[in-house]
Amino acid sequence: MIGKLKLVISDYLYGLNFKEDDFYELRKKGFVKLSPLKDEDINNLVKEIESLDYDDEVTSHKYPNSGDTRFFFDENNKFHSIKKLGNENISFLSDKLKKSYASHRMSMINVLDASKREGDFGSGEGWHCDSPFSHQLKIFTFLTNVSSENGPLRIIPFTHSSKNKLKIHNYLRKDLSDFRYTEEEIKKLLESDEFSIKEMTCEPGSRFLVDTRIIHAGKPINKEKRIAVTDYYFKNINEKDIFKKSI
């Protein structure tokens, strides 16, 4: 009962940040495609990212199970192209959304490499939602071509809504506070024919604004590399500090 109440309150507060036609697809499906980056900006970002391994001041976080290498940066970092992208991406959000859901932010560089994958996971290490109750926003910017074979983001549209979360967790007999899902649970969910997986395959420079209360997972990479930037948004400095400690 408490979990259901949290979902209802979260939806009410979230809805206050939108005018009638604002981000209809985001609210309906849980994601929306944004305008793409220019080729020049893509090239500058890739060059900057490729130099990170040689910068002694930069710490990388490696995840062998998925072949994932991550770099995290505050909004006021020293890298021109990464900072420029962060400033540009947050401008897609309305002032209300910034105040309520993005008063603080960080950027994550995500380099998936098939040659470094030792396990069976994709980026994010399995199906999950970022928060069991609260709506959370991220912008994913893909700098290389994303095919079905090189680790696309996968989402299950409509699973961010309170109505569907209640239905899914009742169907799977899961507590609402549980935000991770096994492959067996996802398979069972898909058997209902009400939900399906969408692979976010796309061209370089593609950007997506996603409500990461949606069920999502990276697909395991089987060939080549995939380079992306994820902009994390936080409601307050405490949320950001907790996230930084979890890295």
Side-chain angles (χ1 to χ4, degrees):
M1 185 64 182
I2 294 176
K4 184 176 180 180
L5 183 61
K6 286 182 178 179
L7 283 173
V8 172
I9 292 173
S10 176
D11 275 10
Y12 172 74
L13 295 175
Y14 188 59
L16 293 177
N17 293 279
F18 297 94
K19 295 178 181 176
E20 186 175 351
D21 297 326
D22 282 352
F23 289 122
Y24 175 78
E25 284 189 77
L26 174 68
R27 289 181 289 153
K28 179 72 174 177
K29 297 181 180 180
F31 69 98
V32 63
K33 190 170 185 177
L34 305 172
S35 59
L37 278 180
K38 297 176 182 176
D39 289 344
E40 181 182 358
D41 290 330
I42 296 170
N43 293 333
N44 289 337
L45 277 160
V46 170
K47 287 178 183 177
E48 202 165 70
I49 290 167
E50 288 176 341
S51 73
L52 295 178
D53 277 328
Y54 306 99
D55 192 317
D56 293 335
E57 296 179 11
V58 175
T59 301
S60 64
H61 302 262
K62 299 182 186 298
Y63 302 84
N65 276 337
S66 57
D68 196 354
T69 301
R70 297 182 171 193
F71 305 88
F72 292 89
F73 300 98
D74 277 310
E75 56 197 86
N76 295 314
N77 63 79
K78 68 178 184 178
F79 298 98
H80 174 75
S81 295
I82 295 170
K83 185 161 63 174
K84 177 184 176 184
L85 176 66
N87 291 336
E88 184 178 322
N89 279 350
I90 198 168
S91 69
F92 285 109
L93 304 184
S94 67
D95 288 340
K96 275 191 172 183
L97 277 176
K98 289 177 194 174
K99 183 177 180 180
S100 299
Y101 292 91
S103 61
H104 296 271
R105 56 190 166 98
M106 287 186 73
S107 294
M108 179 193 75
I109 310 302
N110 168 220
V111 182
L112 273 178
D113 188 337
S115 68
K116 295 180 180 179
R117 180 165 74 90
E118 299 175 5
D120 297 323
F121 287 107
S123 183
E125 307 211 334
W127 291 98
H128 64 285
C129 56
D130 287 357
S131 170
F133 301 111
S134 300
H135 292 275
Q136 293 192 355
L137 300 176
K138 287 181 182 176
I139 292 181
F140 296 85
T141 304
F142 297 97
L143 303 179
T144 50
N145 185 63
V146 181
S147 72
S148 184
E149 291 298 308
N150 70 341
L153 171 66
R154 297 176 294 176
I155 64 173
I156 303 181
F158 307 104
T159 57
H160 67 301
S161 75
S162 291
K163 177 183 176 181
N164 285 332
K165 284 190 75 67
L166 289 166
K167 183 186 298 183
I168 289 166
H169 281 246
N170 182 57
Y171 180 63
L172 298 177
R173 299 189 177 183
K174 288 173 71 71
D175 192 280
L176 279 170
S177 62
D178 194 346
F179 59 90
R180 287 221 167 247
Y181 305 83
T182 65
E183 288 291 340
E184 290 74 22
E185 287 173 332
I186 295 300
K187 183 178 179 181
K188 182 179 179 181
L189 178 62
L190 299 179
E191 287 174 351
S192 70
D193 291 330
E194 194 169 348
F195 301 100
S196 60
I197 294 171
K198 179 176 177 60
E199 291 189 358
M200 309 294 275
T201 56
C202 57
E203 297 179 345
S206 296
R207 294 186 276 200
F208 300 91
L209 172 59
V210 181
D211 177 353
T212 53
R213 195 170 80 170
I214 202 167
I215 299 175
H216 62 286
K219 187 177 182 180
I221 186 168
N222 291 319
K223 65 179 184 180
E224 302 173 346
K225 284 185 179 181
R226 192 211 74 185
I227 304 174
V229 181
T230 304
D231 285 300
Y232 287 70
Y233 299 116
F234 306 96
K235 295 178 183 177
N236 52 59
I237 191 63
N238 290 333
E239 264 192 10
K240 182 177 178 179
D241 287 343
I242 290 170
F243 175 77
K244 289 173 77 171
K245 290 176 182 177
S246 72
I247 297 172

